Amino acid sequence: MTLPDKWRWFPAARFGLFIHWGPYAQYGRGEQVLFREHLDQPGYVDRACAWNPQHFDARLWAATARDAGMRYAVLTARHHDGYCLWDSRVTNYASAAQAPERDFVGEYVEAFREAGLRVGLYYSLADWRIPAYWEGPEHDPAGWDRFRDYVHTQVRELLSNYGRIDVIWFDGAWPHHAGTWRSRELVESIRALQPDILINNRLGTPDPDEGARQSADGGLGAGESRTLGDFGTPEHHITAESGRLWESCQVSTWRLWGYTIGERWRPADYLLDMLIEAAQKGGNLLLNVGPEADGGLPPEFVLRARQIGRWLQQHGEAVYDAEPGEVCEFITYGRQLRRGNHLYLVIRFWDRSGEVHVGGLETRVERAVLLSTGAEVPFEQSADHVVIKGLPQDPPAELFPVLRLDFGSPPEPRDWARDRLWCGDPRRMTPWAAARGSSVWADGVERGG
Ligand code: GLC
């Protein structure tokens, strides 16, 4: 895949903030409460229009994201409930026209750009208020045309009125096809307005003439397209997509994206491990937060964001710009990341033995550095093993310690270690087993009879 220069920032960034925020936060039961609880539509609208967050400060959000080591963000400009966080000319169901009288999207874009972050906007094609969305063009052709025009107009608004936008993130295309949404035309008009923008892949389920081709994870739930969009969006899982950029979107809580009272939070090391896994596989992590109804970020999230940020300050060179792929056998300790002539060993547990063992490295190690302290450490390398020594007893980092091995060229594995245990040709291991003989007896020698 040859990546245009204008998009190089995206894989280099590796880490972004997903923000699910809207009037649904008032219920504290996730972003889909309107549908999931089959709430009364007019009652929901009344509460949405009265929603008036007092503690929304986009600069605080931006500072939290920046300090977490995130390099971009994506804010829900509109979710499936249809409420708009900007000053839309085609509806008054929007923060600028209702109680807040504020353009939250404008404030967000300005603050995040000021903090040096790239900015993205999430836009739900679905709008659960509108009967024509549910009816579809088959049952309500005129209503559908009006609704789809409204959607296209809103997207153009978002991409015309706020300067440069780096990412547009569609969602909610289900159950309609890309053709039904006129997604190709939408993409063309987006490119005309924002030539450098990255567009995600949720632009509609495959058109019938695309046959039974399915999205990468085999499901069409999110309305993903294999043919439209610049990057894939595996959700709740970290799966590499071949042939295009990808970003795994993940919650920092148990399951929900919007603010949820009493939700359980994933620990910081779990969140960090997802970032490292994505980087190792060549993708990004878009980590979600659901801010509270009044605009504050949940303290549990801020705490974790700071922990990850501190870790990235010390160990970021292992993650940003990491090249995909594992080099050798290291799976029992943690994860490995590679970049140029460096191999980074991310260690999940610290056994206090003062040593770390790596199997199957062909290239000669020139230097070993405990990245967590910056100290060079001694090592011994034989044909199949590297033992890194002289490590401190106590874990040298709050989250995962990292060792950096430096080489004179990009590191290569020994032949046997090119693939992980369950992959590759199993016969590569036969000579290793045969070295002790071939019988089931302890000495490997066949017994007659
Ligand atoms: C799903 C959900 C939606 C959420 C999105 C994030 O599509 O419907 O609520 O915004 O995932 O990827």
Short mmCIF file of all heavy atoms in Angstrom, two decimals, residues 147-176:
data_model
loop_
_atom_site.label_atom_id
_atom_site.label_comp_id
_atom_site.label_asym_id
_atom_site.label_seq_id
_atom_site.Cartn_x
_atom_site.Cartn_y
_atom_site.Cartn_z
N PHE A 147 -34.74 13.29 3.47
CA PHE A 147 -33.86 12.95 4.59
C PHE A 147 -32.41 12.84 4.12
O PHE A 147 -31.49 13.38 4.74
CB PHE A 147 -34.33 11.64 5.24
CG PHE A 147 -33.36 11.12 6.28
CD1 PHE A 147 -33.05 11.89 7.39
CD2 PHE A 147 -32.74 9.88 6.12
CE1 PHE A 147 -32.13 11.42 8.35
CE2 PHE A 147 -31.83 9.42 7.06
CZ PHE A 147 -31.52 10.19 8.17
N ARG A 148 -32.19 12.16 3.00
CA ARG A 148 -30.82 11.99 2.52
C ARG A 148 -30.20 13.34 2.13
O ARG A 148 -29.03 13.60 2.38
CB ARG A 148 -30.80 11.03 1.33
CG ARG A 148 -29.38 10.59 0.95
CD ARG A 148 -29.36 9.96 -0.42
NE ARG A 148 -30.14 10.77 -1.31
CZ ARG A 148 -30.96 10.31 -2.25
NH1 ARG A 148 -31.10 9.03 -2.44
NH2 ARG A 148 -31.65 11.14 -3.01
N ASP A 149 -31.01 14.23 1.54
CA ASP A 149 -30.50 15.57 1.21
C ASP A 149 -30.08 16.31 2.48
O ASP A 149 -29.07 17.01 2.51
CB ASP A 149 -31.57 16.40 0.48
CG ASP A 149 -31.71 15.94 -0.97
OD1 ASP A 149 -30.89 15.11 -1.41
OD2 ASP A 149 -32.67 16.39 -1.64
N TYR A 150 -30.91 16.15 3.51
CA TYR A 150 -30.60 16.77 4.80
C TYR A 150 -29.25 16.29 5.33
O TYR A 150 -28.40 17.07 5.75
CB TYR A 150 -31.75 16.43 5.76
CG TYR A 150 -31.55 16.77 7.22
CD1 TYR A 150 -31.61 18.09 7.67
CD2 TYR A 150 -31.33 15.75 8.17
CE1 TYR A 150 -31.45 18.39 9.03
CE2 TYR A 150 -31.17 16.04 9.51
CZ TYR A 150 -31.23 17.36 9.94
OH TYR A 150 -31.06 17.65 11.27
N VAL A 151 -29.05 14.98 5.25
CA VAL A 151 -27.78 14.38 5.69
C VAL A 151 -26.61 14.95 4.89
O VAL A 151 -25.61 15.40 5.46
CB VAL A 151 -27.86 12.83 5.55
CG1 VAL A 151 -26.49 12.19 5.56
CG2 VAL A 151 -28.73 12.25 6.67
N HIS A 152 -26.74 14.96 3.57
CA HIS A 152 -25.63 15.47 2.74
C HIS A 152 -25.36 16.94 3.04
O HIS A 152 -24.20 17.36 3.11
CB HIS A 152 -25.97 15.28 1.25
CG HIS A 152 -25.78 13.87 0.76
ND1 HIS A 152 -25.22 13.56 -0.45
CD2 HIS A 152 -26.07 12.67 1.34
CE1 HIS A 152 -25.18 12.23 -0.61
NE2 HIS A 152 -25.71 11.68 0.46
N THR A 153 -26.43 17.71 3.24
CA THR A 153 -26.24 19.14 3.52
C THR A 153 -25.50 19.32 4.84
O THR A 153 -24.59 20.14 4.96
CB THR A 153 -27.62 19.84 3.63
OG1 THR A 153 -28.33 19.61 2.42
CG2 THR A 153 -27.47 21.34 3.84
N GLN A 154 -25.88 18.52 5.84
CA GLN A 154 -25.21 18.66 7.15
C GLN A 154 -23.73 18.31 7.06
O GLN A 154 -22.90 18.96 7.67
CB GLN A 154 -25.92 17.77 8.18
CG GLN A 154 -27.27 18.33 8.59
CD GLN A 154 -27.65 17.93 9.99
OE1 GLN A 154 -27.48 16.78 10.37
NE2 GLN A 154 -28.18 18.87 10.76
N VAL A 155 -23.42 17.27 6.30
CA VAL A 155 -22.01 16.89 6.17
C VAL A 155 -21.25 18.04 5.51
O VAL A 155 -20.14 18.40 5.93
CB VAL A 155 -21.88 15.57 5.35
CG1 VAL A 155 -20.41 15.28 5.04
CG2 VAL A 155 -22.50 14.41 6.12
N ARG A 156 -21.85 18.64 4.48
CA ARG A 156 -21.17 19.76 3.82
C ARG A 156 -20.99 20.94 4.78
O ARG A 156 -19.96 21.60 4.77
CB ARG A 156 -21.94 20.18 2.56
CG ARG A 156 -21.72 19.22 1.39
CD ARG A 156 -22.13 19.86 0.07
NE ARG A 156 -23.54 20.25 0.09
CZ ARG A 156 -24.55 19.44 -0.25
NH1 ARG A 156 -24.31 18.22 -0.66
NH2 ARG A 156 -25.80 19.86 -0.19
N GLU A 157 -22.00 21.17 5.62
CA GLU A 157 -21.87 22.25 6.63
C GLU A 157 -20.65 22.01 7.51
O GLU A 157 -19.83 22.90 7.71
CB GLU A 157 -23.10 22.25 7.56
CG GLU A 157 -24.28 23.01 7.07
CD GLU A 157 -25.40 23.06 8.14
OE1 GLU A 157 -25.30 22.43 9.22
OE2 GLU A 157 -26.39 23.72 7.86
N LEU A 158 -20.57 20.78 8.02
CA LEU A 158 -19.49 20.46 8.96
C LEU A 158 -18.12 20.61 8.31
O LEU A 158 -17.14 20.95 8.97
CB LEU A 158 -19.64 19.03 9.48
CG LEU A 158 -20.74 18.82 10.53
CD1 LEU A 158 -20.95 17.33 10.79
CD2 LEU A 158 -20.38 19.53 11.83
N LEU A 159 -18.07 20.35 7.00
CA LEU A 159 -16.78 20.37 6.33
C LEU A 159 -16.52 21.70 5.62
O LEU A 159 -15.50 21.87 4.95
CB LEU A 159 -16.67 19.19 5.36
CG LEU A 159 -16.81 17.83 6.08
CD1 LEU A 159 -16.63 16.69 5.10
CD2 LEU A 159 -15.83 17.69 7.24
N SER A 160 -17.44 22.66 5.77
CA SER A 160 -17.25 23.98 5.15
C SER A 160 -16.97 25.06 6.19
O SER A 160 -16.29 26.03 5.90
CB SER A 160 -18.50 24.42 4.39
OG SER A 160 -18.88 23.46 3.45
N ASN A 161 -17.50 24.87 7.40
CA ASN A 161 -17.54 26.00 8.33
C ASN A 161 -16.48 25.99 9.42
O ASN A 161 -16.47 26.87 10.27
CB ASN A 161 -18.93 26.08 8.98
CG ASN A 161 -20.02 26.27 7.93
OD1 ASN A 161 -19.72 26.64 6.80
ND2 ASN A 161 -21.26 26.00 8.30
N TYR A 162 -15.63 24.99 9.46
CA TYR A 162 -14.70 24.88 10.59
C TYR A 162 -13.24 24.72 10.16
O TYR A 162 -12.43 24.18 10.91
CB TYR A 162 -15.13 23.71 11.50
CG TYR A 162 -16.54 23.92 12.01
CD1 TYR A 162 -17.62 23.34 11.36
CD2 TYR A 162 -16.78 24.78 13.09
CE1 TYR A 162 -18.92 23.57 11.79
CE2 TYR A 162 -18.08 25.02 13.52
CZ TYR A 162 -19.14 24.42 12.86
OH TYR A 162 -20.41 24.67 13.28
N GLY A 163 -12.93 25.21 8.98
CA GLY A 163 -11.55 25.10 8.52
C GLY A 163 -11.19 23.67 8.21
O GLY A 163 -12.06 22.84 7.90
N ARG A 164 -9.91 23.38 8.38
CA ARG A 164 -9.45 22.05 8.01
C ARG A 164 -9.94 21.00 9.01
O ARG A 164 -9.79 21.15 10.23
CB ARG A 164 -7.91 22.06 8.01
CG ARG A 164 -7.34 20.75 7.54
CD ARG A 164 -5.84 20.70 7.77
NE ARG A 164 -5.46 19.31 7.79
CZ ARG A 164 -4.60 18.75 6.93
NH1 ARG A 164 -4.00 19.50 6.03
NH2 ARG A 164 -4.32 17.47 6.99
N ILE A 165 -10.54 19.95 8.48
CA ILE A 165 -10.95 18.80 9.31
C ILE A 165 -10.14 17.60 8.80
O ILE A 165 -10.04 17.37 7.60
CB ILE A 165 -12.47 18.53 9.16
CG1 ILE A 165 -13.29 19.75 9.60
CG2 ILE A 165 -12.89 17.29 9.94
CD1 ILE A 165 -13.21 20.12 11.07
N ASP A 166 -9.55 16.86 9.72
CA ASP A 166 -8.62 15.81 9.31
C ASP A 166 -9.28 14.46 9.09
O ASP A 166 -8.78 13.65 8.32
CB ASP A 166 -7.51 15.67 10.36
CG ASP A 166 -6.71 16.96 10.49
OD1 ASP A 166 -5.97 17.28 9.55
OD2 ASP A 166 -6.87 17.67 11.50
N VAL A 167 -10.37 14.22 9.80
CA VAL A 167 -11.05 12.92 9.70
C VAL A 167 -12.56 13.13 9.72
O VAL A 167 -13.07 13.89 10.55
CB VAL A 167 -10.68 12.00 10.90
CG1 VAL A 167 -11.46 10.68 10.83
CG2 VAL A 167 -9.18 11.72 10.97
N ILE A 168 -13.27 12.46 8.83
CA ILE A 168 -14.73 12.39 8.97
C ILE A 168 -15.09 10.93 9.17
O ILE A 168 -14.64 10.05 8.44
CB ILE A 168 -15.50 13.03 7.78
CG1 ILE A 168 -17.01 12.92 7.98
CG2 ILE A 168 -15.11 12.46 6.43
CD1 ILE A 168 -17.63 14.06 8.70
N TRP A 169 -15.86 10.70 10.23
CA TRP A 169 -16.08 9.34 10.75
C TRP A 169 -17.57 9.06 10.71
O TRP A 169 -18.32 9.47 11.60
CB TRP A 169 -15.59 9.33 12.18
CG TRP A 169 -14.93 8.09 12.70
CD1 TRP A 169 -13.60 7.90 12.89
CD2 TRP A 169 -15.56 6.88 13.18
NE1 TRP A 169 -13.37 6.66 13.43
CE2 TRP A 169 -14.55 6.02 13.62
CE3 TRP A 169 -16.88 6.45 13.26
CZ2 TRP A 169 -14.80 4.75 14.14
CZ3 TRP A 169 -17.15 5.19 13.78
CH2 TRP A 169 -16.11 4.35 14.21
N PHE A 170 -18.02 8.36 9.68
CA PHE A 170 -19.45 8.05 9.56
C PHE A 170 -19.81 6.82 10.37
O PHE A 170 -18.96 5.98 10.65
CB PHE A 170 -19.82 7.83 8.09
CG PHE A 170 -19.73 9.08 7.28
CD1 PHE A 170 -18.72 9.27 6.35
CD2 PHE A 170 -20.65 10.12 7.48
CE1 PHE A 170 -18.63 10.44 5.62
CE2 PHE A 170 -20.56 11.29 6.76
CZ PHE A 170 -19.54 11.45 5.83
N ASP A 171 -21.08 6.75 10.70
CA ASP A 171 -21.60 5.59 11.44
C ASP A 171 -23.10 5.51 11.17
O ASP A 171 -23.70 6.46 10.64
CB ASP A 171 -21.33 5.78 12.94
CG ASP A 171 -21.53 4.49 13.74
OD1 ASP A 171 -21.44 3.40 13.15
OD2 ASP A 171 -21.78 4.59 14.97
N GLY A 172 -23.68 4.38 11.53
CA GLY A 172 -25.14 4.26 11.46
C GLY A 172 -25.69 4.13 10.04
O GLY A 172 -26.85 4.44 9.79
N ALA A 173 -24.88 3.66 9.09
CA ALA A 173 -25.37 3.51 7.72
C ALA A 173 -26.39 2.37 7.63
O ALA A 173 -27.26 2.37 6.76
CB ALA A 173 -24.21 3.22 6.77
N TRP A 174 -26.25 1.42 8.53
CA TRP A 174 -27.19 0.30 8.55
C TRP A 174 -28.63 0.80 8.57
O TRP A 174 -28.89 1.78 9.28
CB TRP A 174 -26.93 -0.55 9.81
CG TRP A 174 -27.88 -1.67 9.95
CD1 TRP A 174 -27.75 -2.93 9.47
CD2 TRP A 174 -29.16 -1.63 10.62
NE1 TRP A 174 -28.85 -3.68 9.79
CE2 TRP A 174 -29.74 -2.91 10.50
CE3 TRP A 174 -29.89 -0.64 11.30
CZ2 TRP A 174 -31.00 -3.22 11.02
CZ3 TRP A 174 -31.14 -0.94 11.82
CH2 TRP A 174 -31.68 -2.23 11.68
N PRO A 175 -29.57 0.21 7.92
CA PRO A 175 -29.50 -1.00 7.09
C PRO A 175 -29.39 -0.67 5.61
O PRO A 175 -29.62 -1.55 4.79
CB PRO A 175 -30.87 -1.63 7.37
CG PRO A 175 -31.78 -0.43 7.48
CD PRO A 175 -30.95 0.67 8.10
N HIS A 176 -29.03 0.57 5.30
CA HIS A 176 -29.11 0.99 3.90
C HIS A 176 -27.79 0.80 3.17
O HIS A 176 -26.70 0.93 3.75
CB HIS A 176 -29.58 2.44 3.83
CG HIS A 176 -30.90 2.65 4.50
ND1 HIS A 176 -32.05 2.02 4.06
CD2 HIS A 176 -31.26 3.39 5.59
CE1 HIS A 176 -33.06 2.38 4.85
NE2 HIS A 176 -32.61 3.19 5.79
#
